[in-house]
Amino acid sequence: MDENKTSNNEEKKIIFSGVQPSGNLTLGNYLGAIKNWVELQKDYSCIYAMMDLHTITVRQTPADVRRRTFEVLALYLASGIDPKESVLFIQSQNPNHAELGWVLDCYTYMGELQRMTQFKDKSAKHAENINAGLFTYPVLMAADILLYQADYVPVGKDQMQHIEICRDIAQRFNALYGDVFTIPEGLLSKTGAKIMSLQEPQSKMSKSDPNPKAYISMMDDMNVIAKKIKGAVTDSEGVIEYREGDPAKAGVNNLLNIMSAVTGKNVNDIAADYSGKGYGDFKSDVADAVVECIRPIREEYDRIIKDKEYLMQICRDGAEKARYLSSRTMRKVYKKVGFVQL
């Protein structure tokens, strides 16, 4: 049976996504991405990658990249992503990503890349290393998606610009050569909540934040997690109330969003439960809820990460599946642009 068919021969829609192994994954990565990916396995044909090619636009320590690649894979598995249901692989283990990235470079305009917000942000942060890869990484990202004829890409609202340029590149190529690529759509998270920094709650929680108190790493000790949440920035009002878009309540809003994401309860219902109570009790309960969410994942992660041969086998099997699935797209692309195929 074809990998993308269900038992009743109805074709499943394809989803592609991945995370860079460039740092310890945060609670934001889990709640905003990986937790949703687990649910998507039920209804879609899912392809999830460790995006190591993208990490080297910023200088990395090679040993750290290798270690974190396996950590990301173990966290995927511990969170509930099933390698029998989904394709799990390391991006660099499928050369088709880099090959299609080059072809699509030749169909992408400089002006499009210059408008990318993330290029501007990373250039400002890494002024000493504004390399060509940093400039063209949206094209590689488009290749990642288009290789597998993905119908949907799970994204946050701040990542929709990447989907738009991917769609533009695919539509331009299709206009020249016919129906080659599926035009993907962004699939916004059901929760819709972005997890923000615990210390600067108007900024997104980031694994690259220089302040470790600002983010919760999925690798943190449970006591450290609780301490970070109890030390989270709130405000001087002393009122637990959800006011979306109000900068004064950004810290409280963030904690309410975190509590909602780990418990499944509505933010306004949570706020109502704490009417008349102080921030201390609220933060303590948020800390307990987050710890109970992360603890079973960490326990399973700690078991899996020790089994290196199992992880290597997952990588080998996933790479083989990824190369097989993407090779069909590459043959079509190479034929369209006129390359000789043996």
Side-chain angles (χ1 to χ4, degrees):
M1 183 184 295
D2 188 279
E3 288 89 337
N4 300 322
K5 301 287 185 180
T6 61
S7 57
N8 60 358
N9 290 327
E10 290 181 358
E11 191 169 332
K12 278 188 175 183
K13 296 291 187 180
I14 298 170
I15 276 181
F16 178 89
S17 198
V19 169
Q20 290 188 39
S22 56
N24 290 329
L25 296 188
T26 69
L27 178 67
N29 296 130
Y30 172 70
L31 296 176
I34 299 172
K35 184 181 178 185
N36 294 318
W37 297 356
V38 174
E39 293 300 312
L40 291 170
Q41 292 179 118
K42 299 173 184 176
D43 301 311
Y44 298 92
S45 178
C46 297
I47 302 167
Y48 299 130
M50 282 64 73
M51 312 298 284
D52 57 342
L53 291 177
H54 287 286
T55 65
I56 61 172
T57 58
V58 176
R59 293 287 176 261
Q60 305 286 343
T61 302
D64 287 345
V65 175
R66 284 189 286 271
R67 173 177 55 80
R68 286 171 175 159
T69 298
F70 285 112
E71 289 176 350
V72 171
L73 174 58
L75 190 60
Y76 282 0
L77 296 166
S79 300
I81 294 176
D82 185 349
K84 295 178 182 177
E85 295 290 331
S86 301
V87 178
L88 281 173
F89 73 104
I90 300 170
Q91 183 190 23
S92 62
Q93 294 301 313
N94 182 3
N96 290 332
H97 287 258
E99 291 187 29
L100 183 59
W102 167 251
V103 173
L104 297 183
D105 272 338
C106 301
Y107 294 83
T108 307
Y109 300 130
M110 297 284 285
E112 291 175 306
L113 296 174
Q114 288 169 337
R115 290 192 292 270
M116 297 300 291
T117 303
Q118 199 164 339
F119 171 69
K120 297 174 185 177
D121 292 345
K122 284 197 173 183
S123 296
K125 290 179 182 177
H126 304 279
E128 77 291 349
N129 182 28
I130 304 175
N131 57 71
L134 188 63
F135 186 64
T136 63
Y137 81 91
V139 186
L140 178 58
M141 193 175 292
D144 299 332
I145 297 164
L146 299 177
L147 262 178
Y148 302 97
Q149 305 295 340
D151 297 284
Y152 299 108
V153 183
V155 290
K157 290 180 181 178
D158 58 330
Q159 298 168 311
M160 285 303 292
Q161 191 181 32
H162 293 125
I163 302 301
E164 290 306 316
I165 193 171
C166 177
R167 288 170 57 88
D168 290 344
I169 295 168
Q171 288 167 343
R172 182 175 302 132
F173 198 93
N174 285 358
L176 288 168
Y177 299 113
D179 188 16
V180 178
F181 296 121
T182 298
I183 308 300
E185 295 181 25
L187 188 67
L188 291 173
S189 166
K190 290 180 181 178
T191 62
K194 186 192 298 184
I195 306 303
M196 311 302 282
S197 163
L198 297 177
Q199 295 300 311
E200 297 181 19
Q202 294 188 37
S203 300
K204 185 177 178 181
M205 183 179 284
S206 170
K207 61 180 182 282
S208 60
D209 196 309
N211 182 1
K213 294 180 180 179
Y215 62 88
I216 295 168
S217 167
M218 296 296 287
M219 299 297 108
D220 280 341
D221 178 82
M222 298 302 125
N223 292 326
V224 171
I225 291 171
K227 188 175 180 179
K228 286 182 180 182
I229 292 175
K230 291 174 182 178
V233 168
T234 48
D235 55 60
S236 58
E237 285 186 18
V239 178
I240 300 168
E241 185 178 62
Y242 189 73
R243 298 207 299 261
E244 187 174 2
D246 184 349
K249 300 302 288 185
V252 173
N253 288 347
N254 188 37
L255 291 176
L256 284 166
N257 279 327
I258 290 172
M259 186 73 150
S260 174
V262 298
T263 64
K265 293 181 65 175
N266 179 274
V267 286
N268 292 310
D269 292 340
I270 296 169
D273 290 342
Y274 289 90
S275 178
K277 296 182 181 179
Y279 288 162
D281 289 341
F282 175 54
K283 286 182 177 181
S284 181
D285 288 350
V286 174
D288 289 344
V290 170
V291 165
E292 288 312 303
C293 171
I294 293 178
R295 190 193 306 278
I297 297 170
R298 272 298 303 279
E299 288 174 353
E300 182 65 2
Y301 167 87
D302 290 341
R303 184 188 68 80
I304 293 171
I305 197 65
K306 296 173 185 175
D307 194 343
K308 289 295 190 287
E309 181 50 40
Y310 171 66
L311 292 172
M312 285 296 293
Q313 191 59 50
I314 295 289
C315 292
R316 285 191 286 265
D317 292 346
E320 184 178 349
K321 291 175 185 175
R323 288 193 291 263
Y324 170 74
L325 291 171
S326 60
S327 65
R328 292 177 290 183
T329 298
M330 289 307 301
R331 285 195 298 270
K332 188 184 294 186
V333 168
Y334 277 11
K335 181 178 180 181
K336 292 294 186 180
V337 299
F339 293 166
V340 173
Q341 298 185 72
L342 302 178

